[in-house]
Amino acid sequence: MDSDELREVAGGITEWARRVRELRNEEGYRILTHNDRNELKAGQYLLEDPKPIPAFERAISKETRAYVLDRNGFTCQMCGAVAGEPHPYDPARKTRLHLGHIIDKSQGGTDDPSNLRALCSVCNEGASNLTLDRPTSQKLLIQVRRARGIDQEEVLKWLLNKYPKRAKEILGEIED
């Protein structure tokens, strides 16, 4: 299904792409994109399985939030900005605090208070929007070689799913 079909199914709303992300990230539907499958073009989506898998619970309780903010003295743990005061890097904005994960949930981190810290909106935006350089194939191979066997197999499965035609060609070349 492509983005035009999704927009039409969604009744022409402009927020259909966000809804796709919510279905994938919060409700556990395996919606694949060109990042997951080589044969998909940008703007094309594939629902791999109509049965959702358990997804991350995004809600952090009010009690946990209050505990972490109080523990951190209502102060950003990166820049030291205090909640409600003018932000040191942007005096026109009042400091608003968020909870940030020390170990990101996508990396196995939890919503446990020991993995949470108070961050101002400026620092939290910077932390969540970090864009790393693309690793070279040499760096990737070094990382894969260092990984446990079970993790190497997961990488192999992911690559076979992403490039099924090329995998068959390569496996055919190996057998010949």
Side-chain angles (χ1 to χ4, degrees):
M1 183 174 272
D2 65 28
S3 55
D4 291 334
E5 291 172 294
L6 282 172
R7 185 177 297 118
E8 185 179 327
V9 169
I13 62 172
T14 57
E15 298 292 324
W16 62 269
R18 187 179 77 185
R19 183 66 184 134
V20 169
R21 284 193 303 275
E22 289 172 354
L23 288 168
R24 183 176 42 226
N25 300 336
E26 297 173 14
E27 297 185 29
Y29 286 97
R30 297 252 319 136
I31 301 172
L32 306 179
T33 68
H34 67 285
N35 291 323
D36 305 303
R37 290 271 177 94
N38 191 37
E39 68 265 17
L40 294 175
K41 296 177 183 168
Q44 289 185 322
Y45 301 89
L46 175 68
L47 178 61
E48 188 173 61
D49 187 346
K51 187 176 176 184
I53 57 174
F56 293 131
E57 178 63 46
R58 292 182 59 103
I60 296 172
S61 71
K62 291 178 186 176
E63 292 80 12
T64 299
R65 179 177 167 73
Y67 171 78
V68 172
L69 292 174
D70 186 52
R71 180 192 67 197
N72 292 161
F74 295 90
T75 303
C76 175
Q77 299 302 295
M78 289 182 77
C79 70
V82 178
E85 294 183 357
H87 194 278
Y89 300 130
D90 187 358
R93 292 171 64 175
K94 282 191 173 184
T95 301
R96 293 185 57 208
L97 293 178
H98 302 256
L99 294 185
H101 291 87
I102 296 168
I103 299 172
D104 195 79
K105 288 186 84 167
S106 65
Q107 302 294 318
T110 67
D111 289 338
D112 187 81
S114 65
N115 190 44
L116 297 171
R117 62 183 171 174
L119 294 176
C120 69
S121 56
V122 173
C123 290
N124 198 31
E125 287 170 11
S128 64
N129 293 330
L130 283 177
T131 304
L132 301 174
D133 292 335
R134 289 181 179 258
T136 64
S137 60
Q138 184 180 11
K139 284 186 177 181
L140 283 173
L141 287 172
I142 289 169
Q143 289 295 314
V144 170
R145 287 182 186 129
R146 292 181 56 214
R148 297 175 306 160
I150 191 167
D151 293 324
Q152 291 176 347
E153 287 182 19
E154 286 300 314
V155 171
L156 176 63
K157 288 178 191 172
W158 182 82
L159 287 171
L160 291 173
N161 280 329
K162 180 162 182 168
Y163 302 104
K165 291 179 186 172
R166 185 71 183 124
K168 285 180 184 174
E169 293 171 7
I170 292 171
L171 290 173
E173 293 170 8
I174 292 172
E175 291 177 4
D176 292 337

